Amino acid sequence: MKVKVIGIPVQDQEKALQFYTTKLGFIKKHDAPLGEGNRWLTVVSKDEPAGVEVLLEPSPNHFEPSKTYQKALFEVGIPYTQFNVDNLQEEYDRLVHLGVEFSMKPTEMGNVKIAILDDTCGNKIQLIEML
């Protein structure tokens, strides 16, 4: 088995696409209409365009349990998922300069350094650097 796609629930697919591409630096991989204004919308790392795709999924708008779960995680500050970076301080500084809001600044925890950002679409995302 291989992981090819991982979904992240987003409240607004277009807003999510803009954030994930212009702020986080992902590139759009697939964008296919699914009807009713929904899209099969994925982004990938610019460094691994054939790697795992992140599906920007409109599930909170159509499935109440998804909306409840997403809101509960966000309210207590639990990240929905994490992305690895090579140098967390550099990435943090770059993102702060672009206006990204963080609920946790870079913090060392054992053999990792983490930071948590708000993706503006209903999720906290953890960035992690392996030390």
Side-chain angles (χ1 to χ4, degrees):
M1 284 187 219
K2 294 181 183 179
V3 176
K4 294 302 282 177
V5 177
I6 182 165
I8 294 179
V10 298
Q11 297 160 351
D12 180 319
Q13 285 185 298
E14 189 57 37
K15 183 178 180 182
L17 178 61
Q18 292 307 310
F19 182 84
Y20 280 77
T21 56
T22 64
K23 305 282 185 176
L24 298 187
F26 288 92
I27 56 175
K28 183 168 60 171
K29 177 88 175 206
H30 295 289
D31 189 354
L34 295 175
E36 299 180 22
N38 300 310
R39 299 144 67 183
W40 180 264
L41 180 60
T42 67
V43 295
V44 293
S45 168
K46 65 181 176 185
D47 297 327
E48 295 181 2
V52 175
E53 296 176 45
V54 176
L55 173 63
L56 303 175
E57 199 170 359
S59 58
N61 300 329
H62 306 288
F63 188 56
E64 194 60 36
S66 176
K67 182 186 288 185
T68 301
Y69 180 66
Q70 181 189 34
K71 183 178 178 186
L73 287 177
F74 189 88
E75 287 177 353
V76 296
I78 296 175
Y80 192 86
T81 194
Q82 76 176 30
F83 300 133
N84 287 42
V85 297
D86 292 329
N87 184 315
L88 184 57
Q89 189 62 52
E90 283 182 11
E91 194 64 23
Y92 172 82
D93 293 341
R94 182 186 77 80
L95 292 170
V96 166
H97 180 73
L98 292 173
V100 175
E101 294 184 16
F102 282 79
S103 58
M104 176 188 271
K105 294 179 179 181
T107 305
E108 285 192 30
M109 295 184 167
N111 62 346
V112 299
K113 189 185 293 185
I114 66 170
I116 299 175
L117 63 86
D118 178 347
D119 78 351
T120 73
C121 302
N123 304 295
K124 300 284 187 183
I125 304 294
Q126 180 170 286
L127 301 181
I128 183 169
E129 174 187 348
M130 304 304 292
L131 299 175

